[in-house]
Amino acid sequence: MSFNLEEFKNKPVVVWGMGEEGVASTLFLKQYGLTPTVIDERTKESIPEETREILEREHVSMFFGPASLKKLSNVSLIVRSPGVSSSRAELARARKDGTVVTSQTKLFFELCPSPIVGITGTKGKGTTSTLLAGMLAKTIKERTARKGSLLERTKSVFLAGNMGGRQSPLSLLGKLKKNDLVILELSSFQLEDMAKSPTLSIVLEIFPDHLDHHKNIAHYVAAKSNILRFQKKGDSAIVSIDSHFSNGLIRVGNGEKITLSRTRTNTDISLIKKFITINWNGKRVRLCDVSKSKLLGRHNAANIGAAAGAAFMLGAKPAVIAKEVASFKGLPHRLQLVAKRAGIAFYDDSIATIPEASYAAVRAFDSPVVLLVGGKSKGVDYRNFAKALCMEKYLHAVIGFGHSGPAIVQEIKKAGFKGDLEVAGTEMVDLFKKIKLVARKGDSVLLSPAATSYDAYRNYKERGEVFAKYANKY
């Protein structure tokens, strides 16, 4: 779809959703002279007051609750938020009636004058994108890009995406020029109705996730595949082959495929012993030493490999890549050490909302671990997770909490776990009472929930912050 936003001036426009992207879309449309109405199926009271105040200051009409969906009729343009599935019946009817249905991400791809590096995967997008942006920015600052590379003629690098606190891509449009470069995180929610793909795409490992939003795993993977589907000859894609689902996307789109693995040594980007290497012009080029990284966990080798490989392909030299890998401290709520109290270390990995991420976090330790799991389930199956945990020799206790905690603990018990099993309530104070029962001096207490936070917290960040607060009072 290609269209001029000017065409929608003085026409009815609706933004569906009052989350961060919905607000950003609304403010952007107003800058273009449009008059959007914003709707949300939630009650007025459930929308953060600060969100409503922002929209009120801009004199935006707001409608709440199920009745707000009536505003989708007889409009010219609908901008859906990521949490609103593109397959909703209301959107299908609107398209049939001739309404243009788009999203913040689709608008950005239509209007962005700069090349885009897009990153998707079930986990690791934030770490990979931040690390990559640092490598590229340092290369530009030091003017060390390889001659003839895209980076040599790039003026500035911009980082945007769906991670909380990160810039909305639409807010960049007034600044971007043709010789800039955008690093953009892309979730399945944002990709599901895309009709364009980035110049360089990165697909990290994919596992079942968001099955409360997508119809099934096939629908979820199909959404992810759009990051590759519309690539043209001359475009490129780094694709992890370490998961069945990401490996299955190798043949999607017409971009050149660069394979990535942290377990195999015959891929284009590989972890060989402790070094990330890339096959470049028939030679193996050593990019960095992962043992110098401050990031915990073998899974982070893939994130480092993706960032390092992409940076090199764009024009960064190995010396700059290696220096950035060694200095990068990681992001909050990702295996973050938040406290050491009474001989016990407390790690916040609240971002781990699926079993695979939680399991990877457990495997990052070579000393006794107490694992904290639970929250609101996304419809995933925990049986394989439970069996895998039983094989981990350093895991000596698991505490389930929140809505899904008891069910996860029950699965772990059925799988034959020999360590301590406890169940806490939803409140963090209850969880820490259970921690006192099982944690010993020398342990690492790991909040890696394998479920979302929405049974008790606004998001994974708030859950992690509350955990850190209690940990520091332990």
Side-chain angles (χ1 to χ4, degrees):
M1 178 196 70
S2 180
F3 64 92
N4 185 348
L5 278 178
E6 299 286 335
E7 298 175 7
F8 295 94
K9 283 186 176 180
N10 303 315
K11 291 184 179 180
V13 174
V14 171
V15 174
W16 188 351
M18 292 188 197
E20 289 183 19
E21 278 210 13
V23 172
S25 298
T26 302
L27 299 180
F28 173 75
L29 294 174
K30 283 190 66 68
Q31 288 177 354
Y32 261 78
L34 278 62
T35 309
T37 294
V38 187
I39 67 170
D40 200 297
E41 292 171 273
R42 294 174 292 174
T43 64
K44 181 178 180 179
E45 293 71 27
S46 64
I47 306 297
E49 186 177 355
E50 60 192 87
T51 297
R52 288 184 273 124
E53 287 176 353
I54 291 170
L55 296 174
E56 285 169 0
R57 284 198 298 270
E58 296 295 327
H59 307 290
V60 174
S61 296
M62 293 176 279
F63 296 87
F64 308 90
S68 68
L69 299 184
K70 295 177 182 177
K71 295 294 177 181
L72 295 170
S73 300
N74 302 313
V75 297
S76 298
L77 175 67
I78 297 172
V79 181
R80 73 168 186 90
S81 294
V84 177
S85 173
S86 64
S87 59
R88 288 283 297 260
E90 295 89 346
L91 295 180
R93 284 196 294 269
R95 292 186 190 100
K96 187 176 180 181
D97 292 339
T99 300
V100 174
V101 178
T102 188
S103 67
Q104 177 181 143
T105 307
K106 291 179 77 172
L107 282 173
F108 182 73
F109 271 75
E110 288 291 334
L111 301 171
C112 179
S114 316
I116 298 172
V117 178
I119 303 173
T120 199
T122 302
K123 294 295 174 186
K125 297 184 292 294
T127 295
T128 303
S129 59
T130 307
L131 185 54
L132 173 59
M135 293 170 180
L136 302 184
K138 186 164 289 186
T139 297
I140 292 170
K141 182 179 179 181
E142 297 178 356
R143 299 182 179 180
T144 57
R146 286 196 316 278
K147 288 188 177 181
S149 66
L150 175 64
L151 211 49
E152 186 187 31
R153 56 184 186 272
T154 298
K155 183 178 179 182
S156 299
V157 174
F158 294 87
L159 178 60
N162 62 321
M163 197 173 84
R166 191 154 283 184
Q167 290 187 88
S168 158
L170 292 181
S171 69
L172 300 177
L173 287 174
K175 311 171 189 175
L176 293 172
K177 304 291 188 295
K178 285 185 179 180
N179 59 348
D180 291 326
L181 185 64
V182 178
I183 312 298
L184 185 61
E185 291 176 84
L186 292 165
S187 70
S188 61
F189 296 179
Q190 294 164 314
L191 286 166
E192 62 182 339
D193 58 351
M194 290 295 293
K196 287 189 176 184
S197 298
T199 303
L200 171 59
S201 297
I202 299 175
V203 180
L204 304 170
E205 292 177 67
I206 296 174
F207 303 103
D209 194 14
H210 298 303
L211 300 185
D212 52 345
H213 175 93
H214 296 284
K215 298 173 185 175
N216 48 47
I217 182 60
H219 188 264
Y220 172 64
V221 175
K224 292 285 192 185
S225 73
N226 284 338
I227 200 171
L228 305 173
R229 190 172 306 282
F230 306 102
Q231 282 197 316
K232 306 177 293 294
K233 288 185 177 180
D235 294 337
S236 303
I238 296 172
V239 181
S240 169
I241 63 168
D242 285 339
S243 82
H244 166 74
F245 297 109
S246 56
N247 188 30
L249 302 183
I250 284 287
R251 293 180 177 83
V252 176
N254 292 318
E256 179 190 6
K257 301 301 189 298
I258 294 90
T259 54
L260 163 71
S261 177
R262 59 185 168 87
T263 60
R264 307 182 204 182
T265 58
N266 61 344
T267 52
D268 296 310
I269 303 171
S270 301
L271 174 63
I272 299 178
K273 294 183 179 178
K274 60 179 182 175
F275 297 103
I276 297 294
T277 67
I278 186 169
N279 189 8
W280 192 256
N281 293 331
K283 295 181 180 179
R284 271 283 162 193
V285 179
R286 187 178 288 182
L287 300 181
C288 61
D289 181 347
V290 294
S291 70
K292 303 292 185 183
S293 171
K294 296 179 175 66
L295 301 181
L296 291 175
R298 283 170 278 185
H299 61 288
N300 269 316
N303 300 330
I304 295 170
F312 184 79
M313 289 168 59
L314 292 166
K317 292 183 177 178
V320 174
I321 292 169
K323 188 175 180 181
E324 191 67 17
V325 167
S327 64
F328 184 63
K329 296 179 180 178
L331 299 174
H333 314 298
R334 293 156 174 82
L335 277 174
Q336 179 188 16
L337 177 63
V338 294
K340 283 187 176 180
R341 305 284 290 182
I344 299 170
F346 293 84
Y347 286 87
D348 169 14
D349 193 43
S350 186
I351 188 73
T353 57
I354 61 169
E356 290 83 359
S358 181
Y359 178 58
V362 171
R363 298 193 72 199
F365 293 87
D366 55 6
S367 57
V369 174
V370 175
L371 176 63
L372 315 178
V373 292
K376 183 181 178 183
S377 174
K378 292 192 275 187
V380 299
D381 190 333
Y382 289 99
R383 286 176 292 184
N384 289 336
F385 176 58
K387 292 173 185 176
L389 290 181
C390 293
M391 304 297 289
E392 292 304 307
K393 64 180 180 179
Y394 293 113
L395 182 63
H396 78 82
V398 179
I399 305 174
F401 67 95
H403 182 263
S404 63
I408 298 174
V409 166
Q410 187 61 31
E411 288 292 350
I412 295 170
K413 184 178 180 180
K414 285 196 294 185
F417 185 68
K418 303 301 182 185
D420 294 320
L421 290 172
E422 297 285 346
V423 174
T426 301
E427 300 296 324
M428 195 64 71
V429 64
D430 299 326
L431 181 56
F432 270 78
K433 287 177 181 177
K434 296 295 184 180
I435 291 172
K436 285 184 178 292
L437 295 178
V438 298
R440 317 184 281 242
K441 188 175 181 179
D443 281 0
S444 294
V445 174
L446 172 63
L447 174 69
S448 192
T452 69
S453 59
Y454 301 125
D455 59 336
Y457 304 97
R458 286 178 297 177
N459 49 45
Y460 73 87
K461 291 179 291 183
E462 184 182 44
R463 177 171 62 187
E465 288 162 1
V466 174
F467 171 75
K469 179 181 176 181
Y470 274 85
N472 278 285
K473 292 179 180 179
Y474 188 80

